[in-house]
Amino acid sequence: MRICQLINLLGALFLISCSTTPKVEEKHDERQISARWLRIPLRFALRDKNEDYLTHPFFDIDPAFRKEGRSLNFFVTTPEDAAYKYNLDIYSGRLYKEHEYCPLDDIWDLHKGDLDRPNFTQGIVPRIYDQNGNPQKIIIFGGKNITEKFKYEPTNYDTAKIVGSVILESCQSYPCDTKTKWKGMQVLVAVNARDQEQPSVNSLDELKSKVDWSYAKSILVNQEGVHQIGRRFYPAFRISRELNSEDTIKYFEQNSSQAKFGELLKWREECFKLYDSIWDKTEKIRGEKSGQQEKFLKFFKDFYSKEYNQFYSCQKLVRPANINEDPRRMWFFVYLQAFANLEKANYFYSCYQKSWSYNPKVDDGHYLNNQTKELERCRPRDFEKMFDQAINGLALLKNQSNKNYRFIEYDTQHGGSHQKIYSWIADEGKAHACKNKSPLTKEQFDIFPQDVQWLGFKPDSAEELIK
């Protein structure tokens, strides 16, 4: 498989290496996941109650793609007929609850009758990114009696045989009236390779004759939600194409990227060095007897101009701190991440106005307001307000139709995975038009822990505190 692309998520840190025959790791009879990615210093990662290393299903499993047999490995994120939909937080390697399934009508009115729970298993192909830089999604039919029991912390993987795919398009913000507003991604369609009940299924057409394909497609375009304008609902997802197995493999090879484990390890070490450097410099400033605010502002301006893009790439995948080891370090980086998430969501901070404002794009590479210039206008005593304000800014995104964020400590909500996440989770902010709930009712999540505050740097004098 020749996949030769720069993964957008990882920025300019490294290029994914190419190989015509990916090396397959030794398979275990139990298909158990062995901890490798999170075998790292304690200051960067949580461990289990026995102090053993945690597994990370996305990085610890080899995809083992075989073009000839159209097979590859996957791990389950949401099983068939599940009551709740779960997703993987790559940052922590843990599953978290996205939403509850409920009876609803097909927004496109193509499937007659209620839609409720999925008639397929949903999973992720390890170490493979789709054309948008997101983990490669796959839906699997069959194998219900041979796959491991679903766990909130995946411990096993399995193998799928690809029979086709669909191009699932999403529209982030309403109205979805132009072609450019729809962005596509490939969702692989497969059967469990070890399922002896479906040995003859080798194509999408053969699969359609054995499953309720109309229902499955309707689940795909409805389960992530719809746009809600007042009391009316509008489509946010659609299937634009169905691909047979041959076209699926071509599309997959041309548009997906495989992250090689060796390259990932090199990149991870660079991230660890960056995190330690940031923390050491800021801790040194906190130890100064005077000028802490001024020195921190100077540090941040230098950081923003030289290391900010690398930090944004690193913080999406690698944890900078372990709350059990150093809570103060972790919350410092959480606020730094809040700034990065909001700024990358097309917002900028004005020290003059002491608030975040929308920053429209002038063209592909430039914004109307230059954050670097805005930082130059900041006074030391006003600058740090932007971190607390970043939390408020992310909260304002909550009720908008575009992407927003919420911070999860433990996923302990009703139906949650009860996993330790400690991560900013991206949420598309779509509504779910459930028949058993008010059309205006949305499941609410706290944006950020109420008992956590930004730990500021000391002003030079009592006069500065008054100001």
Side-chain angles (χ1 to χ4, degrees), residues 78-207:
T78 303
E80 177 183 349
D81 199 37
Y84 304 94
K85 186 177 186 298
Y86 300 92
N87 203 350
L88 179 79
D89 170 45
I90 290 191
Y91 186 67
S92 63
R94 313 262 78 77
L95 295 180
Y96 66 93
K97 173 192 165 186
E98 280 193 336
H99 62 81
E100 182 179 1
Y101 283 107
C102 61
L104 47 80
D105 291 323
D106 182 5
I107 191 66
W108 291 101
D109 200 27
L110 297 177
H111 178 82
K112 306 304 179 184
D114 285 355
L115 298 173
D116 197 348
R117 301 184 181 188
N119 62 340
F120 49 79
T121 293
Q122 300 175 70
I124 288 175
V125 180
R127 300 189 204 160
I128 300 290
Y129 295 88
D130 66 16
Q131 64 265 46
N132 300 317
N134 298 316
Q136 177 65 59
K137 293 185 177 181
I138 184 171
I139 61 173
I140 307 97
F141 292 86
K144 194 171 183 179
N145 297 324
I146 60 174
T147 55
E148 294 289 328
K149 184 179 179 181
F150 175 68
K151 299 175 182 177
Y152 295 127
E153 181 182 342
T155 58
N156 297 74
Y157 65 92
D158 216 324
T159 304
K161 179 174 66 174
I162 300 170
V163 297
S165 64
V166 297
I167 305 303
L168 181 65
E169 294 186 337
S170 62
C171 170
Q172 191 175 54
S173 59
Y174 184 84
C176 305
D177 51 354
T178 61
K179 186 177 181 180
T180 56
K181 284 196 170 185
W182 292 90
K183 181 171 68 174
M185 69 171 181
Q186 183 183 36
V187 178
L188 300 176
V189 180
V191 295
N192 192 293
R194 298 191 295 138
D195 188 354
Q196 298 301 315
E197 295 181 6
Q198 301 195 61
S200 62
V201 177
N202 290 297
S203 69
L204 188 57
D205 286 338
E206 291 174 351
L207 178 67

Side-chain angles (χ1 to χ4, degrees), residues 28 164 206 457:
H28 301 274
E206 291 174 351
F457 289 80

Side-chain angles (χ1 to χ4, degrees), residues 157 243 348 350:
Y157 65 92
L243 304 179
F348 79 102
S350 168

